[in-house]
């Protein structure tokens, strides 16, 4: 390379670096949209709005949540994957679109969860709770198993939709207990919870934040935590594993991602701002009040976690035979 060409290349790189730096310094200069690919009223919506409010305060520009539900979260995720990679359209989602649906939807997805998104953060780790309608004669997991086996095909479990972690929790429960329970998918958590309270379905795995008010109000009966550890919000609630199903471990989380090719400087700014939110006392208190735990913004840790979750749920889907096609 000639000296002139070398100087030209350095000049171009310098301009690009200054442009990226300027973009990061001016970002955002307008409204930022966070797309929640699930209906309003559920656990994802609650935590998305919590983050959006804090980011609005810290960034000095409004951050809004837009619900774009459909196809197990795929519709909203696809819209973000195909949006301009400028940091003004982000995806805030439960596991489905990022780690589950690529296996569950055997005909494929209109986007690639690994290649089409740049991870920003896991905002919160969220327990999943097994609940039943109060009219069901079961006060623990073993009694529920006995009830299901004595009523084969007559016990219905709801979920927030095909491929949601609550759905796969139910499939895992069905497989491990060898019970004939029937999945009833809903368009979101709220209608499933309404039908559980009304007795139209008998059991429901759901994320704790959206369920805690109904549990505390006695409208539903919590039987167990589906994860490996008892949730801090319900420390006396034994896990499914503790109640006779060793190895049962199902929990959820909510993540914030951006379209791939979003400038590194903008991603760094977003990670910094989300880190401030996750570490702020009011947000930590609210996350824990909802029954969750603060997450992480480490790019390396988030990527490794998403990869591990993809493999984990792919195996659950394979064993259960679940499919959304």
């Amino acid at each position: 390379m000639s000296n002139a060409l070398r100087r030209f290349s350095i000049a171009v790189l310098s301009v690009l670096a200054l442009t990226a730096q300027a973009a990061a310094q001016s970002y955002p200069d307008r409204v930022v949209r966070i797309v929640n690919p699930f209906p309003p009223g559920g656990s994802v919506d609650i935590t998305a709005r919590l983050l959006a409010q804090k980011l609005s305060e810290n960034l000095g520009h409004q951050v809004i949540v837009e619900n774009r539900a459909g196809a197990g979260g795929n519709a909203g995720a696809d819209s973000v994957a195909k949006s301009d990679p400028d940091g003004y359209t982000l995806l805030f989602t439960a596991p489905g679109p990022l780690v589950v649906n690529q296996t569950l939807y055997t005909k494929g997805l209109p986007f690639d969860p690994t290649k089409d998104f740049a991870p920003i953060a896991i905002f919160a780790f969220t327990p999943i709770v097994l609940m039943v309608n109060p009219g069901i004669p079961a006060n623990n997991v073993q009694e529920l198993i006995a009830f299901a086996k004595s009523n084969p095909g007559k016990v219905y479990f709801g979920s927030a939709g095909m491929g949601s972690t609550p759905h796969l929790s139910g499939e895992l429960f069905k497989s491990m207990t060898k019970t004939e329970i029937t999945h009833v998918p809903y368009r979101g958590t709220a209608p499933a919870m309404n039908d559980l309270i009304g007795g139209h379905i008998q059991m429901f795995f759901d994320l704790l934040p959206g369920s805690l008010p109904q549990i505390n109000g006695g409208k539903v009966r919590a039987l167990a935590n589906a994860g490996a550890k008892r949730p801090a919000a319900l420390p006396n609630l034994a896990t499914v594993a503790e109640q006779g199903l060793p190895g049962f471990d199902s929990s959820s989380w909510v993540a914030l991602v951006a379209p791939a090719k979003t400038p590194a400087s903008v991603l760094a700014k977003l990670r910094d701002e989300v880190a401030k939110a996750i570490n702020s006392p009011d947000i930590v208190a609210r996350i824990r009040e909802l029954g969750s735990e603060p997450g992480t913004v480490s790019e390396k840790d988030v990527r490794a976690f998403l990869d591990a979750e993809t493999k984990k749920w792919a195996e659950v889907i394979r064993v259960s035979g679940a499919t959304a096609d």
Side-chain angles (χ1 to χ4, degrees):
M1 181 184 294
S2 67
N3 289 335
L5 183 57
R6 184 179 295 108
R7 286 195 296 272
F8 176 76
S9 299
I10 292 173
V12 170
L13 291 174
S14 298
V15 170
L16 291 175
L18 289 172
T19 300
Q21 183 179 5
Q25 290 175 346
S26 64
Y27 174 86
D29 59 11
R30 61 181 188 273
V31 173
V32 176
R33 293 186 308 125
I34 293 179
V35 174
N36 166 17
F38 302 101
S43 298
V44 177
D45 202 52
I46 293 171
T47 45
R49 295 180 189 281
L50 179 64
L51 175 60
Q53 180 179 349
K54 195 64 174 180
L55 290 179
S56 295
E57 295 171 3
N58 292 347
L59 290 171
H61 282 273
Q62 190 177 18
V63 178
I64 63 172
V65 175
E66 176 183 306
N67 295 92
R68 191 172 294 185
N74 293 337
D78 186 46
S79 71
V80 174
K82 291 178 171 58
S83 66
D84 291 335
D86 53 13
Y88 289 93
T89 304
L90 308 173
L91 177 68
F92 188 94
T93 181
L98 295 181
V99 304
V100 171
N101 293 354
Q102 57 192 294
T103 304
L104 191 73
Y105 287 75
T106 58
K107 295 181 181 178
L109 302 179
F111 59 92
D112 186 318
T114 302
K115 296 180 180 179
D116 291 345
F117 296 111
I120 297 170
I122 302 295
F123 181 64
F125 296 100
T126 308
I128 291 176
V129 176
L130 168 57
M131 298 162 287
V132 295
N133 177 276
I136 298 300
N139 293 292
N140 55 55
V141 170
Q142 290 303 321
E143 290 180 357
L144 176 61
I145 294 171
F147 178 76
K149 287 188 174 181
S150 63
N151 294 275
K154 298 180 181 179
V155 175
Y156 296 86
F157 74 95
S159 81
M162 293 295 293
S164 62
T165 41
H167 165 214
L168 295 181
S169 299
E171 295 291 349
L172 182 60
F173 185 87
K174 177 180 179 179
S175 174
M176 291 184 68
T177 60
K178 295 180 172 54
T179 50
E180 293 182 34
I181 57 177
T182 304
H183 177 224
V184 181
Y186 289 83
R187 291 180 61 83
T189 297
M193 178 61 77
N194 287 339
D195 272 9
L196 180 69
I197 293 172
H200 302 294
I201 57 176
Q202 290 72 44
M203 58 182 286
F204 184 31
F205 283 93
D206 189 34
L207 279 63
L208 184 55
S211 304
L212 200 55
Q214 287 75 23
I215 293 170
N216 290 337
K219 294 182 179 180
V220 298
R221 181 186 302 134
L223 297 189
N225 172 47
K229 299 179 180 179
R230 298 186 183 192
L234 295 171
N236 296 322
L237 185 65
T239 66
V240 174
E242 288 176 320
Q243 297 187 56
L245 287 180
F248 193 101
D249 182 6
S250 180
S251 58
S252 191
W253 40 267
V254 282
L256 182 69
V257 299
K261 299 183 181 180
T262 297
S265 56
V266 172
L267 292 174
K269 179 73 176 289
L270 284 165
R271 291 188 185 107
D272 286 344
E273 294 300 330
V274 175
K276 291 177 186 177
I278 289 176
N279 291 318
S280 61
D282 57 331
I283 294 295
V284 171
R286 181 57 178 152
I287 287 174
R288 287 179 173 156
E289 180 184 333
L290 290 169
S292 299
E293 288 296 324
T296 178
V297 296
S298 165
E299 181 181 2
K300 179 180 178 181
D301 290 348
V302 173
R303 286 188 183 277
F305 177 77
L306 293 177
D307 182 60
E309 284 285 282
T310 299
K311 293 175 181 175
K312 169 187 172 180
W313 290 119
E315 179 63 13
V316 171
I317 292 168
R318 185 190 67 79
V319 171
S320 68
T323 177
D325 295 327

